[in-house]
Amino acid sequence: MVFNSLAFALFLPIVFLLYWRIRCRSAQNVLLLAASYVFYGWWDWRFLSLIIFTTASTYLLALPERRKRLCLATNIVLNLSVLGIFKYYNFFSSSLMRALGYLGINADWPLLDVLLPVGISFYTFQAISYSVDVYRGKTAPCRRPVDFAAFVAFFPQLVAGPIERAADMLPQFARERRFSTAEATEGARRILWGLFKKCVVADSMAFWVDFAFENTAIYAHSWAEYVVVAIAVVGFTFQLYGDFSGYCDIARGSAQLFGFRLSDNFLYPYFARNAVEFWRRWHRTLMRWFTDYVYIPLGGSRRGNRYLHVFVVFLLSGLWHGATFTFVTWGILCFIWYALSVAVGCHKYSPETDPLGSRRDLPKMAFTTMCWTATLFAFRADNMHNLMRVVECAAIPFLIIAAAIVGCAWVLARIPVRGRTLAIIAVAAIAIILLLTPYAPQVSMYLLNRWTFVMGGVMLAVEWRGRHHSFALQQMPRRRWLRRACDIMLFYIVLTAFFAGEEAFIYFQF
């Protein structure tokens, strides 16, 4: 079951109404657990056995007071074995067979023909973090099996995060919850904004990005087609952010409807001014997981080679996203970008305490976003051959486009910007695109069809205005009647896009 489906549109209100009809906390948790299993089993009920196994083994091995280290090691091995068999066995087996073939050794053993269970990386990491935190004494072992099972399988964040910590979530399952109209209203608005980012921005981008990567990148022969591929990479930047941050907004809003608070997984990463700040804002719960359970145990910045530890983190992050050489390449590129930023003096950054960027920082933000976009060549490519072909076609046009975007950001940072100025700039941009039509119809069609990039610009503009809050619409607009009017308009736009098609979330494959 996906958030942008009719099934979920019926499922969520039913569970919501039943949940608040129940006054007993334990019964509410039982209902959430049952609903979560229905939600997850909607794809394939057989995969429920995996999440039940992960839940049971993690719960039982965290209880013993003796031999804690042995129990921890056993649980980590069990969880990583399940993840390794389903996600990494074929990748490492085929790679090893290929390497042995180069050495003249004929190795041929069977590969697994199984589907990757949805969200297995997320709930596995969540279970491992619980085991480690119990071992370290940071959280007490949960004595209520239903509460723990509901924590692992909580349906709003089950299949694509955020990756929550037991210390943050288990107390929420243990306390009494009372319905709050203000919380429910904010949760509904958060869901609406998430659906806008997913259905209107990401899904409309998906068609053109897929077209460019899967067709033009293979058969491109003219400069106009090369430009289309470069624009597709920029479009994928919008698609990926709209898709994943939209999912997280829907997840957090859905959890809020039931009286739960999930972690902020995205804090406006495209307004970061360097790589260090970017990785404090992008997929924060995953980076926090790698920091606490990989980077610091390796020695962090206090012991050993800091850059080696960072390299291990980004390499594992690439493998976590997918068992292919393109994701390994993406992880290495992210490490190079991060290491260069640290080398030139970018300091540690905390989104909670350090000041946000202003309009004067627009060139830095644009440059950072374009650097991130450059790494997405590898993230989006289907295989290494496709990656090489995309780079061959689009590298030079992409550099020109990136330079133009940074240049425009530099101009906007230094001229007084008002509504009239922005309108003139938008009209001028559309006019230039229309003038290109006789010479590059592919480029004009790509930029104007379905107003995909316009909606992406609207998303960034709204988030820029609301960047001081947890989500963009939290305090926008300020007047209540105008806020309701905007909600109705947004709901209509989302509803129109909702029935245009149902696209799976990108991060479901991880």
Side-chain angles (χ1 to χ4, degrees):
M1 192 183 301
V2 294
F3 287 160
N4 57 325
S5 66
L6 184 59
F8 185 76
L10 298 174
F11 170 83
L12 183 63
I14 292 172
V15 177
F16 175 79
L17 293 174
L18 291 175
Y19 178 84
W20 290 114
R21 291 285 294 176
I22 300 171
R23 299 298 181 185
C24 174
R25 176 196 60 80
S26 299
Q28 287 177 330
N29 290 346
V30 171
L31 175 64
L32 286 178
L33 177 60
S36 298
Y37 283 163
V38 170
F39 177 85
Y40 192 73
W42 199 266
W43 282 282
D44 192 329
W45 63 269
R46 293 171 296 180
F47 289 145
L48 281 172
S49 60
L50 291 177
I51 194 171
I52 292 173
F53 171 78
T54 297
T55 302
S57 62
T58 304
Y59 175 78
L60 294 173
L61 288 170
L63 292 177
E65 295 294 333
R66 298 180 178 180
R67 297 183 178 180
K68 287 187 174 183
R69 180 173 297 182
L70 177 61
C71 292
L72 172 66
T74 302
N75 187 56
I76 291 176
V77 169
L78 287 175
N79 279 292
L80 292 181
S81 296
V82 172
L83 183 63
I85 290 171
F86 282 90
K87 189 169 183 177
Y88 299 108
Y89 174 79
N90 286 352
F91 170 69
F92 286 110
S93 293
S94 58
S95 300
L96 181 58
M97 285 189 285
R98 193 178 301 113
L100 292 174
Y102 291 143
L103 298 175
I105 303 174
N106 185 19
D108 186 16
W109 52 79
L111 301 178
L112 296 178
D113 185 17
V114 294
L115 293 174
L116 178 66
V118 175
I120 187 172
S121 299
F122 288 91
Y123 67 73
T124 298
F125 270 29
Q126 193 158 296
I128 291 174
S129 73
Y130 167 77
S131 299
V132 176
D133 287 350
V134 169
Y135 173 77
R136 292 174 174 175
K138 291 185 176 180
T139 187
C142 181
R143 303 291 178 179
R144 301 184 181 93
V146 172
D147 289 10
F148 181 75
F151 155 67
V152 174
F154 190 42
F155 74 86
Q157 47 86 223
L158 171 60
V159 293
I163 302 172
E164 293 293 346
R165 301 295 179 86
D168 298 327
M169 287 297 293
L170 284 176
Q172 298 188 61
F173 282 99
R175 64 175 172 78
E176 298 293 332
R177 297 175 288 275
R178 294 288 182 264
F179 178 76
S180 167
T181 303
E183 284 289 301
T185 301
E186 183 177 304
R189 297 190 78 225
R190 198 186 291 268
I191 291 172
L192 185 61
W193 181 240
L195 286 172
F196 173 82
K197 291 199 280 189
K198 166 60 180 172
C199 299
V200 179
V201 177
D203 288 354
S204 61
M205 288 284 183
F207 175 82
W208 298 106
V209 172
D210 294 344
F211 173 81
F213 271 86
E214 295 171 9
N215 297 292
T216 312
I218 300 174
Y219 303 110
H221 298 292
S222 67
W223 71 268
E225 292 169 333
Y226 294 164
V227 172
V228 166
V229 179
I231 296 173
V233 178
V234 178
F236 184 64
T237 306
F238 285 92
Q239 182 196 352
L240 183 64
Y241 176 69
D243 187 282
F244 194 23
S245 70
Y247 172 90
C248 290
D249 283 336
I250 300 170
R252 297 191 71 210
S254 300
Q256 231 173 313
L257 293 179
F258 299 98
F260 290 83
R261 284 281 182 170
L262 300 181
S263 303
D264 273 325
N265 212 20
F266 290 89
L267 284 179
Y268 311 109
Y270 289 173
F271 303 144
R273 290 156 289 190
N274 54 64
V276 177
E277 183 180 349
F278 181 88
W279 288 110
R280 297 292 188 276
R281 293 176 172 276
W282 178 275
H283 207 341
R284 300 176 71 235
T285 56
L286 178 66
M287 299 314 296
R288 180 186 169 199
W289 195 98
F290 277 119
T291 299
D292 290 348
Y293 304 117
V294 177
Y295 179 72
I296 292 176
L298 286 175
S301 58
R302 298 178 181 272
R303 204 171 60 247
N305 190 316
R306 174 189 181 185
Y307 288 99
L308 177 61
H309 303 159
V310 173
F311 175 77
V312 172
V313 166
F314 279 110
L315 183 64
L316 291 178
S317 177
L319 281 172
W320 180 88
H321 280 86
T324 65
F325 285 108
T326 54
F327 284 113
V328 172
T329 304
W330 173 78
I332 294 172
L333 290 174
C334 290
F335 162 73
I336 294 172
W337 176 37
Y338 184 91
L340 288 174
S341 297
V342 173
V344 299
C346 296
H347 60 81
K348 292 182 179 179
Y349 178 84
S350 172
E352 290 81 6
T353 58
D354 289 357
L356 295 172
S358 65
R359 190 162 61 89
R360 284 285 181 182
D361 296 313
L362 283 177
K364 295 180 182 178
M365 296 175 187
F367 180 76
T368 300
T369 302
M370 288 300 101
C371 289
W372 162 247
T373 304
T375 71
L376 297 182
F377 279 89
F379 192 97
R380 177 56 183 80
D382 297 326
N383 49 58
M384 292 301 293
H385 174 74
N386 184 233
L387 172 60
M388 292 298 102
R389 181 59 178 156
V390 170
V391 171
E392 179 185 351
C393 291
I396 294 177
F398 171 75
L399 290 175
I400 295 172
I401 292 171
I405 291 174
V406 174
C408 290
W410 185 86
V411 172
L412 287 174
R414 282 157 178 77
I415 63 173
V417 177
R418 299 182 179 86
R420 182 180 298 177
T421 307
L422 291 176
I424 293 173
I425 293 173
V427 170
I430 294 172
I432 292 172
I433 295 170
L434 292 174
L435 289 174
L436 283 174
T437 303
Y439 309 100
Q442 303 99 322
V443 176
S444 298
M445 177 189 70
Y446 195 92
L447 289 173
L448 292 177
N449 199 292
R450 295 176 65 183
W451 296 93
T452 52
F453 282 87
V454 173
M455 290 296 101
V458 168
M459 176 185 72
L460 290 183
V462 171
E463 297 214 327
W464 175 260
R465 290 293 302 273
R467 68 191 186 280
H468 296 281
H469 304 287
S470 178
F471 76 108
L473 297 184
Q474 191 169 16
Q475 299 294 330
M476 289 180 55
R478 293 185 180 276
R479 296 188 179 183
R480 182 175 297 180
W481 67 269
L482 188 57
R483 187 181 303 176
R484 297 292 174 259
C486 289
D487 289 345
I488 293 171
M489 181 179 66
L490 198 60
F491 179 76
Y492 173 77
I493 295 172
V494 168
L495 200 64
T496 303
F498 183 87
F499 287 106
E502 180 182 314
E503 292 279 346
F505 287 86
I506 293 174
Y507 264 70
F508 278 12
Q509 64 185 298
F510 307 136

